[in-house]
């Protein structure tokens, strides 16, 4: 997807016919929103790699059980993660009548390797995200409410509804549209995940999961939908080319969670509803629409001390540690590769052969 703010990247910096014409073509797209003292050796051995993705969640019901839980929490992580950056994703207009709350991808947080962008979107007909290109990364669309229809220049078409996920690998090139498929407001999250240099020019592919097919687990007042990764010994079937965990947690009042995260990964939380305490039990609560960047460590603790359910997405990924050069919907490693992507799109080659003669249906 491509945002209005991304359009500026296509302003020609020369009199080249390619750049002038491409800028004009992309301006007509009218698109779109989605333009990173140590424990004893015996204790270390107990935390083996085979169990590092287990969830431990417990619910306080008395002072004695609370003390026991606190002691367990202290023993859960050798290096607990804390919140090192907090961003409120404020509403802004994007695309053709859409509204997004952007956190990753704005000037305060350009990216969080391997993550390039996170939008919480809100769209009603006739607004939408018409035909637009991508190259060099993946988009993950998770519907929170309503439905969206997707179609692309290769003939793929489908609709995802509330709770469904589409994991699209753009690879060497996709031109597609994403439009509301139901009346009322359509809401969801879209995450952009970078691809390594060796994967940027692979063939596009899709993984679509209906809500009923997404792995779920529950324990002691904590429910989780496992979009990617593993929790409570339950693993998602989604294949992540860039190693990623993506989980949708709902915590009942009084519950707490201790979620391991691979120590070498970057991770963040996006709060969908409610408020919670993240990282340190005495930290100030964070509320809906905040993105919380987590510092280094091997796990995250969360407490719901409010009287209402807390819902949030926890996302982590293995950093690629590669240069990121982005021009709108193209994300590559060098300026030369960006120029090549623009020319390929303009001329309809190297993955964009069908782009010049295709348009989506209403």
């Amino acid at each position: 997807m491509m945002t209005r703010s991304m359009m500026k990247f296509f302003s020609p910096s020369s009199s080249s016919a390619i750049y002038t014409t491409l800028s004009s073509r992309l301006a007509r797209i009218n698109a779109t929103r989605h333009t990173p003292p140590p424990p004893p050796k015996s204790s270390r051995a107990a935390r083996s790699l085979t169990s590092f993705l287990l969830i431990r969640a417990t619910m306080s019901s008395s002072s004695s059980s609370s003390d026991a839980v606190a002691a367990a929490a202290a023993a859960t992580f050798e290096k607990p993660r804390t919140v090192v950056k907090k961003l409120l994703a404020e509403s802004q207009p994007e695309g053709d009548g859409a509204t997004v709350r952007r956190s990753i991808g704005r000037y305060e947080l350009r990216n969080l390797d391997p993550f390039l962008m996170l939008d919480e979107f809100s769209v009603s007909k006739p607004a939408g995200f018409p035909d637009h290109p991508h190259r060099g990364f993946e988009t993950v669309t998770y519907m929170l409410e309503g439905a969206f229809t997707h179609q692309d220049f290769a003939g793929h078409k489908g609709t995802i509804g509330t709770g469904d996920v589409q994991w699209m690998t753009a690879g060497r090139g996709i031109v597609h549209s994403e439009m509301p498929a139901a009346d009322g407001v359509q809401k969801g999250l879209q995450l952009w995940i970078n691809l390594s240099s060796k994967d940027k020019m692979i063939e596009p592919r899709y993984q679509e999961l209906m809500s009923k097919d997404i792995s779920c687990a529950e324990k002691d007042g904590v429910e989780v939908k496992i979009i990617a990764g593993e929790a409570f010994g339950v693993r998602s079937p989604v294949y992540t080319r860039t190693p990623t965990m993506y989980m949708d947690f709902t915590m009942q009042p009084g519950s707490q969670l201790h979620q391991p995260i691979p120590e070498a990964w970057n991770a963040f939380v996006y709060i969908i509803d409610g408020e919670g305490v993240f990282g340190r039990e005495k930290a100030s609560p964070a509320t809906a629409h905040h993105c919380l960047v987590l510092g280094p460590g091997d796990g995250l603790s969360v407490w719901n001390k409010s009287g209402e359910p807390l819902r949030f997405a926890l996302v982590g990924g293995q950093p690629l540690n590669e240069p990121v050069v982005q021009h709108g919907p193209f994300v590559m490693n060098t300026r030369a590769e960006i120029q090549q992507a623009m020319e390929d799109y303009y001329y309809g080659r190297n993955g964009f052969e069908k782009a010049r003669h295709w348009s989506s249906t209403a």
Side-chain angles (χ1 to χ4, degrees):
M1 296 179 179
M2 188 163 65
T3 68
R4 177 187 304 159
S5 59
M6 286 178 177
M7 286 299 191
K8 66 183 180 181
F9 291 113
F10 288 95
S11 297
S13 55
S14 70
S15 58
S16 164
I18 292 176
Y19 287 91
T20 302
T21 307
L22 180 56
S23 176
S24 176
R25 180 189 300 177
L26 289 168
R28 291 196 301 270
I29 288 177
N30 256 349
T32 58
R33 65 182 181 267
H34 303 302
T35 70
K41 292 183 178 179
S42 59
S43 176
R44 289 175 181 267
R47 282 191 297 270
S48 66
L49 288 176
T50 59
S51 62
F52 87 134
L53 284 178
L54 291 176
I55 292 176
R56 296 182 64 184
T58 53
M59 196 169 183
S60 300
S61 59
S62 67
S63 59
S64 59
S65 63
S66 178
D67 292 342
V69 167
T76 299
F77 305 123
E78 180 181 351
K79 299 177 182 178
R81 291 184 182 239
T82 60
V83 177
V84 296
K85 194 177 187 69
K86 178 180 177 181
L87 292 173
L88 175 62
E90 299 178 348
S91 294
Q92 63 184 64
E94 279 293 355
D96 186 6
T99 299
V100 304
R101 292 178 176 269
R102 178 163 302 148
S103 48
I104 300 173
R106 51 194 263 190
Y107 69 91
E108 299 99 328
L109 186 61
R110 289 305 307 162
N111 55 66
L112 183 67
D113 190 12
F115 307 113
L116 302 165
M117 181 182 291
L118 178 68
D119 278 356
E120 178 184 1
F121 59 86
S122 179
V123 187
S124 299
K125 292 180 179 180
F129 307 99
D131 309 356
H132 57 278
H134 292 300
R135 173 180 277 184
F137 60 99
E138 299 181 298
T139 68
V140 184
T141 305
Y142 180 35
M143 294 301 300
L144 301 177
E145 179 182 329
F148 253 57
T149 293
H150 164 277
Q151 54 183 307
D152 69 23
F153 68 176
H156 180 273
K157 183 176 182 178
T159 299
I160 55 173
T162 302
D164 298 344
V165 173
Q166 182 197 72
W167 199 296
M168 183 188 80
T169 303
R172 65 198 301 241
I174 277 285
V175 178
H176 72 162
S177 65
E178 296 150 296
M179 303 296 288
D183 294 330
V185 180
Q186 327 301 310
K187 298 180 180 180
L189 300 176
Q190 187 169 88
L191 176 69
W192 287 16
I193 307 176
N194 201 7
L195 288 170
S196 67
S197 56
K198 66 180 178 62
D199 292 329
K200 285 187 177 293
M201 295 297 286
I202 62 174
E203 292 296 323
R205 68 186 296 250
Y206 295 89
Q207 298 175 85
E208 292 184 348
L209 277 79
M210 300 297 99
S211 179
K212 64 181 178 61
D213 298 321
I214 295 177
S215 303
C216 298
E218 186 277 332
K219 186 176 181 180
D220 297 330
V222 179
E223 299 176 7
V224 58
K225 295 185 68 175
I226 308 157
I227 297 168
E230 184 178 340
F232 285 117
V234 178
R235 174 167 288 277
S236 167
V238 168
Y239 170 69
T240 60
R241 190 170 293 274
T242 299
T244 305
M245 59 185 290
Y246 189 156
M247 300 173 184
D248 176 3
F249 285 100
T250 299
M251 298 178 61
Q252 296 304 314
S255 64
Q256 56 181 276
L257 166 71
H258 307 288
Q259 169 63 46
I261 301 169
E263 191 168 348
W265 291 16
N266 287 329
F268 68 90
V269 164
Y270 187 78
I271 304 174
I272 300 169
D273 288 305
E275 68 173 41
V277 176
F278 295 82
R280 293 182 296 107
E281 190 171 6
K282 296 185 181 300
S284 299
T287 56
H289 313 303
H290 278 91
C291 180
L292 311 178
V293 179
L294 304 178
D298 56 354
L300 173 68
S301 294
V302 185
W303 296 264
N304 183 0
K305 298 183 179 183
S306 75
E308 301 293 333
L310 164 66
R311 185 182 184 189
F312 62 92
L314 173 62
V315 183
Q318 181 175 304
L320 298 175
N321 297 315
E322 295 181 356
V324 176
V325 181
Q326 179 175 351
H327 259 43
F330 305 139
V331 183
M332 305 299 288
N333 297 108
T334 68
R335 292 285 180 185
E337 290 170 341
I338 289 294
Q339 181 174 335
Q340 185 67 56
M342 295 177 69
E343 293 179 359
D344 287 346
Y345 178 58
Y346 175 80
Y347 286 116
R349 64 191 186 193
N350 294 332
F352 290 110
E353 285 80 1
K354 299 178 182 179
R356 301 188 71 179
H357 306 291
W358 177 84
S359 62
S360 59
T361 57

